[in-house]
Amino acid sequence: MLTDAHLTHFREQGYVVVPGALSGAQLATGRRIVATMLEQERPEGVGAHFLWPRFEGGHPLLDFYRSIGLAELAGQLLRPDLAVQDPDFAQVATTIPPWPHRPGGPHVDGITPGLPDGTPGTFSMLAGIWLTDHDEPDRGNLYLWPGTHLKFGAYLAERGADALARVDEMNPGPYPDVPLGDPVQAIGPAGSVLFAHYLLAHNIGGHFGTADDVRRETLYYRLQADGHRERWRDVVIDPLLEFRD
């Protein structure tokens, strides 16, 4: 169960880390699934590598998502009248050391490319399952800019929701010219779950370890509340519209 402190942190900072969300057995299952996928499509060289499995006709990562109760956990962040829809794809994110990279700035997902109808591919929140430890910085940790979900929402409220798709008006990234503040690296043990607001500024961090260190492995699911696509314009100008007080 999420606590009031979790809910407050998510609303104010735009993200929350929930340690111990997965049992040891669930964590082992997730790692086996990913290991099989990476054996079939082996990453080459160092740095960040991604797989994007779609769920048409079912997929082990959709079964895994359902079996660990991720929708129920994420749903505790949403208003009581909203539930989480099943995702239609996942992202397998690995970072292989040594890759001494620091992001120059943040981005927001789903803009380049957008959806076939020309609208941005918005969602409610990003859910990241840490299959390996993130308990020290610079080991493939995600960079986050706290509170920027509210600043981005204010930016869109002033210009209109469709400004989200006007990438040429934003800084390289893409992310708009809003006060970012200092980034933090998401930290915690394997088996943790990170929830991040769709509008929160974020980017990939490097892995400063040696070639003998364990690669970073994370599963990401992009989650939508029921009816999100019908109200996405309202959601991006009022970033807390879908979330619990």
Side-chain angles (χ1 to χ4, degrees), residues 46-87:
V46 300
H49 301 271
F50 307 116
L51 300 177
W52 302 89
R54 308 288 307 182
F55 293 163
E56 292 91 344
H59 194 280
L61 286 183
L62 178 57
D63 297 337
F64 181 68
Y65 164 87
R66 291 169 172 166
S67 70
I68 64 175
L70 190 59
E72 291 76 12
L73 187 63
Q76 295 177 46
L77 291 169
L78 297 175
R79 293 180 349 219
D81 60 313
L82 296 176
V84 178
Q85 298 177 348
D86 274 353

Side-chain angles (χ1 to χ4, degrees), residues 78-107:
L78 297 175
R79 293 180 349 219
D81 60 313
L82 296 176
V84 178
Q85 298 177 348
D86 274 353
D88 54 10
F89 71 97
Q91 178 186 5
V92 178
T94 63
T95 311
I96 300 174
W99 190 49
H101 163 78
R102 295 192 189 278
H107 67 264

Side-chain angles (χ1 to χ4, degrees), residues 143-167:
Y143 275 65
L144 306 164
W145 280 261
T148 47
H149 62 310
L150 302 177
K151 297 173 183 177
F152 201 164
Y155 170 95
L156 293 170
E158 180 180 340
R159 293 162 177 79
D162 290 297
L164 182 59
R166 298 198 292 270
V167 180

Side-chain angles (χ1 to χ4, degrees), residues 32-43 51 59-60:
R32 283 196 299 270
I33 295 170
V34 168
T36 298
M37 296 177 65
L38 293 175
E39 183 65 26
Q40 295 170 349
E41 298 185 55
R42 293 187 179 184
L51 300 177
H59 194 280

Side-chain angles (χ1 to χ4, degrees), residues 178-189:
V178 299
L180 294 173
D182 294 326
V184 299
Q185 296 186 50
I187 291 178

Side-chain angles (χ1 to χ4, degrees), residues 100-125:
H101 163 78
R102 295 192 189 278
H107 67 264
V108 65
D109 298 326
I111 298 179
T112 53
L115 299 178
D117 64 2
T119 61
T122 64
F123 48 91
S124 301
M125 68 183 107

